[in-house]
Amino acid sequence: QNWTRGMSYCLHSGSHVDTGPIYVRENGKLHLVTQAAGSIQNVAPKTRPFRLFSRGFSVELCMNREDDKARRQRTDHFIFTYTREGNLRYSAKSLFSLVLGYISDNVDHIDSLIGFPEQIAEKLFSAAEARQKFTEPVTGLRALQKFTEAYGSLVLCSLCLRDRYLVISDKLEEIKSFRELTCLDLSCCKLGDEHELLEHLTKEALSSVKRLLLKDTSLSDAGLRRMTAPVRVLKRGLENLLVLDLSCNPKITDGGIGYLLSFKKLNCLDITGTGLKDVDAVVKRLQTRIGLVRSQVPLKEFDHSNCKTEGWAEQTVLQWEQAVMEATKPQDNLRSSTAALRFYGKTHRIEAAVKCRPVEADTKTSGSLQFYKEKVQNCHFPLKKEVAGSHELRNHKKRALAEPEKERTSKQKHLCLTVEDWDLLNTY
């Protein structure tokens, strides 16, 4: 009991600070020493429940997408979820997803992707697209070029820019970076003959285009001459073109149709609404030279709803369109100036964006001028074969075979090249 008296002395001494309950271990048991009497009681210790977090612990995830620096510096390496009981549960992300996120944040620093697996490249493109890396002015173009150089048509095989002239003017270099396109729709864009994108159509990068829709683009004979010069002379450019839509371009005349005779693989042609004077002569010329027959019913090949943007960069093009739409929205601070104009009795100028409407020419006299090749069976359009039309086609074929081969002489080959053509070819 000597140690008990010593313990009680220590407990009753006022010089020591109260340290709370004191436990003594004896013979494998834990005993509580009371401070009042200094006695020992056998009390089982209370075990506290194990908690990973305190009761007031909470987690809030904040992602600032507007601040690029904050987005790059974030370290969200964990995925936070909740169990059925409402408890917070977190798990670490896979190493692949972490590396994929890091590379997508620095995708503009990649040297080349040639030879990289397509499956992983598609995921990398989607990750960079989710971070809107391709919408940035300088780095976005450089990153997009790395993908288009390596994967071509997988990035984008069909591009529809119908009535999207603002997107073309804002993202012209990005659009020119797309390679191996098979379908391109530039209808209702009012590009004209001197636009840089029309000149880009003659490059070897777009030699894979098979369907080209240029409805209501303000083209004339000069534009057709520039567009067909590489095909007529160098046998490159749009030589693989199968479907061509030139409708609603009243500046295209009978002379401009002659440039289209260089498209030997052309299966479908639409020249409705052009400025033709002698329609019968043009129809006969197309039929005898490249075998195109005038259709009596509208062809489904010229239904613009069939042309859509397809490929990895489909969402990227939508992001470009949304950015242009947000930039062209009317601002709220313009209402005060409008109210002031109304107060002073002045008329306010309408600054709303006017939607493009195709220039419909007078088609009552000529009707629909859509042509197709009768030999082609895989084109998806309705055909109505008439007996009279088949007899006329056979007669024209006989006449073509009976004609002397004067057109194939070297003299007429040299006659196709004018001084303007040589000047145009010198620019390539």
Side-chain angles (χ1 to χ4, degrees), residues 159-210:
L159 179 59
C160 180
L161 295 175
R162 182 173 60 254
D163 199 9
R164 297 293 186 273
Y165 179 76
L166 295 179
V167 178
I168 295 176
S169 60
D170 187 36
K171 298 293 181 179
L172 179 60
E173 296 299 326
E174 285 80 357
I175 294 172
K176 290 170 60 178
S177 66
F178 293 124
R179 300 188 176 189
E180 299 182 10
L181 288 175
T182 58
C183 181
L184 181 60
D185 190 355
L186 300 175
S187 303
C188 302
C189 289
K190 307 290 185 181
L191 299 180
D193 298 330
E194 303 295 334
H195 200 273
E196 188 176 353
L197 184 57
L198 290 178
E199 183 181 355
H200 180 66
L201 290 176
T202 61
K203 305 297 181 181
E204 294 183 359
L206 293 182
S207 60
S208 60
V209 174
K210 297 182 179 180

Side-chain angles (χ1 to χ4, degrees), residues 26-154:
E26 182 179 3
N27 297 327
K29 295 183 180 180
L30 194 63
H31 304 278
L32 174 65
V33 180
T34 58
Q35 297 180 2
S39 60
I40 302 176
Q41 298 179 1
N42 295 331
V43 179
K46 296 182 179 180
T47 59
R48 296 181 180 180
F50 177 75
R51 292 179 179 271
L52 183 61
F53 302 102
S54 61
R55 293 183 178 181
F57 178 78
S58 62
V59 176
E60 182 179 0
L61 297 178
C62 298
M63 296 178 64
N64 188 2
R65 296 183 177 275
E66 296 180 357
D67 191 0
D68 190 21
K69 295 182 179 180
R71 188 169 71 245
R72 291 181 179 179
Q73 295 176 358
R74 70 175 185 270
T75 57
D76 49 345
H77 300 333
F78 300 96
I79 302 175
F80 293 89
T81 56
Y82 288 92
T83 60
R84 294 181 179 179
E85 293 79 9
N87 299 326
L88 183 66
R89 180 177 60 187
Y90 68 96
S91 58
K93 290 184 179 180
S94 63
L95 181 61
F96 177 78
S97 61
L98 294 177
V99 174
L100 193 68
Y102 178 78
I103 297 177
S104 59
D105 286 334
N106 302 275
V107 68
D108 54 309
H109 297 289
I110 297 177
D111 292 335
S112 177
L113 289 171
I114 299 176
F116 202 68
E118 298 175 359
Q119 295 80 2
I120 302 178
E122 184 178 1
K123 295 181 180 180
L124 179 61
F125 189 92
S126 301
E129 190 178 52
R131 290 167 170 78
Q132 296 185 357
K133 299 296 293 184
F134 301 116
T135 58
E136 299 177 359
V138 180
T139 59
L141 174 60
R142 185 164 58 247
L144 188 62
Q145 288 176 347
K146 301 300 180 183
F147 284 94
T148 55
E149 290 175 358
Y151 304 102
S153 60
L154 292 177

Side-chain angles (χ1 to χ4, degrees), residues 8 17 26 71 75 107 110 116 119 150 156 158 161 169 232 270 291 298 312 359 361 381 391 408 412 428:
S8 62
V17 183
E26 182 179 3
R71 188 169 71 245
T75 57
V107 68
I110 297 177
F116 202 68
Q119 295 80 2
L156 208 64
S158 178
L161 295 175
S169 60
R232 289 185 285 114
D270 189 0
W312 297 351
V359 180
F381 50 76
H391 285 297
R408 299 181 181 179
Q412 290 204 358
Y428 289 93

